[in-house]
Amino acid sequence: MKRKFFAFILLLSAGLSLSSCLSSDDDTNIEYTHDTAITAFSLGTMNRYYQGKTSDGTKDSTYATTIAGSNYKFYIDQAAGKIYNADSLPVGTKISAALASITAKQSSPLLWALKDKDNKDSLVYYSSSDSVDFSKPKEIRVYNNDYSAYRTYTITVNVHKEGPDSFVWHSLAAHNGDLAALAGMKAVSAGNCVYVFGKSNGGTKIFKTGLNGGAFGNPLTPNIVLSEEAYKSAIAKNGKLYILNNGTVLKSDDAVNWESVTTDASLLQLIGASSNYLYAYTRAEDSEHAEDVAGIAVSKDNGASWTPDAMDDKGADFLPTENLSLVVKPVRSVKGAENLLLLGNRKVRENGEKDTVATIWTRTFDAGEATDSYQWNYVEYQAHQAGMLPYLNTLQVALNDSGYVALAAGDYKVGSATVEKCKWYVSKTGLDWSVDTTVVMPAEFAVSRPAAFVRDANNYYWVINNGYVWKGRYNRDGWRKE
């Protein structure tokens, strides 16, 4: 480093000597620019070391790979003299010996401002072929061409401290007796709040908390009496809440003040919303049972009017009626297009027969098409096909960053025994599922009690069960994406 610094002094001295030898009669004019700045910064390829399991899954092992620094954008704050990456490098990336590519305006000289072994200031010329230790913030100077002035930048390279797939549950509040007493419930995220709608003593109670809160407190006092089955119809669209109460569609901004949208006796239950429309089950008029479903209806005017939505020939008998989740996932490659996933359980038949796996329907919607030619399609599995979600007492689905997650609690067969468990399933398509063993439910989770599950606007998953409230998320869902 000292050699490079001495070279810099010699070069500067030579330049000054040369300029002093030029007389006013010389034809040579040397013109220096005083305008300079760093205009681009990127890192080269770096090593990354991370922990994993051996191929047989029995032992811990350390693995090595490489990270392309060019995939991570660095921002240059010219006013503050700061250079940094908003999207942190993956955990385990080695930045103690990294190559940097730096571009300066007017090809101005760049020198690192360092400390020598005696803690004295030292200047070292920048070279794109010299590795640099970025484990601590680094200062670099960009000089004008006659070395009469410089600007200093502080470079900070951010690296994640935890792996993207780590998941930790946080308990948000002490045991809530009112929540524990609910005989059934549904969680809805709308705007900056999470709501729990629950069945209680012949009616529906509503609880509310902010996204940064957790203590739901006492139930709200809405301006209308809600039936005990109304909680099943609670849904949200564009920050507003909707619910079906004795055939009347209601809308609210806060779950307290509800206004009537329409009354339609053919509606049985609101089942969810896409970015554009509301969806509901319609009632089968000729059936002996009032709860029988005739089909799916769609509202294109926020609940004011409803029309039948097209279904394949499998028919309404194959629609799920319990533990319903309607999850909407944007199609990233097509603007305005969405995939709808309707998942739940069919009811037990009168002869006691019930399914062994969950029931799934799918639909595509494309706002860019003048005519909606899509329909609801039943997903029919082959016998013993892998990747199916089991039929369980609690089954609720939400989005994640790359697909879907499902909270699935109930009786599982373990050999010849039956064991109560709650498992966390993941799927990229919503059709084939696998258990994510990295997510472990809190010890207080009671499989035999009702549970509510929802994902909020900050990518946190909320679980409400037996009077307790937890929320958690994958680390990657909390990382800033640019």
Side-chain angles (χ1 to χ4, degrees), residues 284 292-295 311 314-321 346-347 349 355 359 361 378:
D292 283 348
V293 179
M311 296 172 57
K314 202 64 180 180
D317 288 344
F318 284 82
L319 286 171
T321 56
R346 289 200 301 161
K347 67 180 181 180
R349 264 71 80 196
D355 298 331
T359 299
W361 287 70
Y378 174 70

Side-chain angles (χ1 to χ4, degrees), residues 6-177:
F6 291 150
F8 161 62
I9 296 299
L10 290 172
L11 178 64
L12 181 58
S13 300
L16 293 174
S17 300
L18 180 63
S19 60
S20 65
C21 293
L22 296 175
S23 69
S24 58
D25 297 326
D26 290 321
D27 294 332
T28 305
N29 249 337
I30 297 179
E31 196 172 309
Y32 295 107
T33 176
H34 295 273
D35 182 21
T36 189
I38 291 178
T39 56
F41 180 93
S42 65
L43 293 178
T45 300
M46 294 162 285
N47 293 325
R48 182 196 172 203
Y49 302 93
Y50 62 97
Q51 298 298 313
K53 292 286 187 181
T54 54
S55 57
D56 59 5
T58 60
K59 297 178 181 179
D60 294 329
S61 182
T62 300
Y63 294 89
T65 186
T66 57
I67 296 296
S70 57
N71 291 335
Y72 294 82
K73 181 180 179 180
F74 276 79
Y75 293 84
I76 302 176
D77 185 338
Q78 299 289 358
K82 294 181 179 180
I83 300 174
Y84 62 95
N85 55 318
D87 187 8
S88 297
L89 300 173
V91 63
T93 302
K94 184 181 179 181
I95 59 171
S96 58
L99 297 178
S101 176
I102 309 174
T103 302
K105 193 174 182 181
Q106 309 291 348
S107 299
S108 300
L110 293 162
L111 289 92
W112 295 107
L114 307 174
K115 295 286 186 182
D116 63 17
K117 63 180 181 179
D118 298 322
N119 203 36
K120 295 180 179 179
D121 292 337
S122 174
L123 293 175
V124 176
Y125 269 106
Y126 155 78
S127 171
S128 60
S129 60
D130 289 343
S131 61
V132 181
D133 182 358
F134 287 108
S135 56
K136 293 181 179 179
K138 277 285 182 292
E139 285 192 0
I140 192 167
R141 295 179 182 179
V142 53
Y143 282 80
N144 57 10
N145 287 326
D146 63 358
Y147 291 91
S148 62
Y150 64 84
R151 297 181 64 183
T152 299
Y153 293 82
T154 300
I155 302 171
T156 302
V157 178
N158 297 307
V159 180
H160 284 298
K161 305 301 181 184
E162 297 177 308
D165 296 322
S166 297
F167 192 110
V168 178
W169 290 108
H170 302 281
S171 180
L172 299 184
H175 185 269
N176 184 316

Side-chain angles (χ1 to χ4, degrees), residues 182-421:
L182 297 176
M185 55 181 160
K186 183 177 183 181
V188 177
S189 177
N192 295 317
C193 294
V194 170
Y195 300 84
V196 173
F197 295 78
K199 179 179 179 179
S200 176
N201 299 322
T204 288
K205 289 184 177 180
I206 310 173
F207 302 81
K208 175 183 178 181
T209 188
L211 297 189
N212 295 323
F216 281 91
N218 296 322
L220 303 177
T221 306
N223 62 344
I224 192 168
V225 177
L226 297 173
S227 70
E228 70 173 10
E229 294 299 309
Y231 81 95
K232 294 181 179 179
S233 288
I235 62 173
K237 177 178 179 287
N238 298 332
K240 295 188 179 295
L241 296 163
Y242 294 84
I243 201 166
L244 181 66
N245 186 50
N246 294 323
T248 298
V249 178
L250 303 171
K251 180 176 68 174
S252 177
D253 292 320
D254 56 10
V256 174
N257 301 293
W258 294 89
E259 60 178 287
S260 175
V261 178
T262 191
T263 297
D264 188 335
S266 69
L267 298 179
L268 179 63
Q269 179 182 342
L270 301 185
I271 60 174
S274 65
S275 298
N276 297 276
Y277 301 152
L278 301 177
Y279 295 90
Y281 280 163
T282 55
R283 191 185 307 276
E285 296 182 1
D286 299 332
S287 173
E288 298 179 1
H289 307 286
E291 70 276 11
D292 283 348
V293 179
I296 299 175
V298 58
S299 175
K300 301 179 181 180
D301 51 12
N302 294 320
S305 61
W306 297 82
T307 56
D309 207 18
M311 296 172 57
D312 68 18
D313 57 9
K314 202 64 180 180
D317 288 344
F318 284 82
L319 286 171
T321 56
E322 305 294 333
N323 293 313
L324 287 182
S325 297
L326 178 57
V327 187
V328 180
K329 187 172 181 61
V331 179
R332 294 180 180 178
S333 58
V334 182
K335 184 179 180 180
E338 296 174 325
N339 287 326
L340 282 62
L341 180 78
L342 176 62
L343 190 149
N345 295 329
R346 289 200 301 161
K347 67 180 181 180
V348 179
R349 264 71 80 196
E350 291 183 351
N351 61 2
E353 179 186 351
K354 72 174 184 180
D355 298 331
T356 58
V357 298
T359 299
I360 300 175
W361 287 70
T362 63
R363 191 195 198 287
T364 298
F365 172 79
D366 188 349
E369 294 187 359
T371 302
D372 183 9
S373 58
Y374 298 97
Q375 65 178 11
W376 289 95
N377 295 289
Y378 174 70
V379 177
E380 192 160 5
Y381 291 101
Q382 302 298 318
H384 307 297
Q385 183 174 334
M388 294 183 287
L389 271 176
Y391 184 108
L392 294 164
N393 298 333
T394 297
L395 183 60
Q396 298 177 52
V397 180
L399 286 178
N400 74 359
D401 63 326
S402 60
Y404 307 87
V405 300
L407 181 75
D411 295 335
Y412 287 88
K413 283 287 187 181
V414 180
S416 59
T418 300
V419 180
E420 285 188 339
K421 285 187 177 182

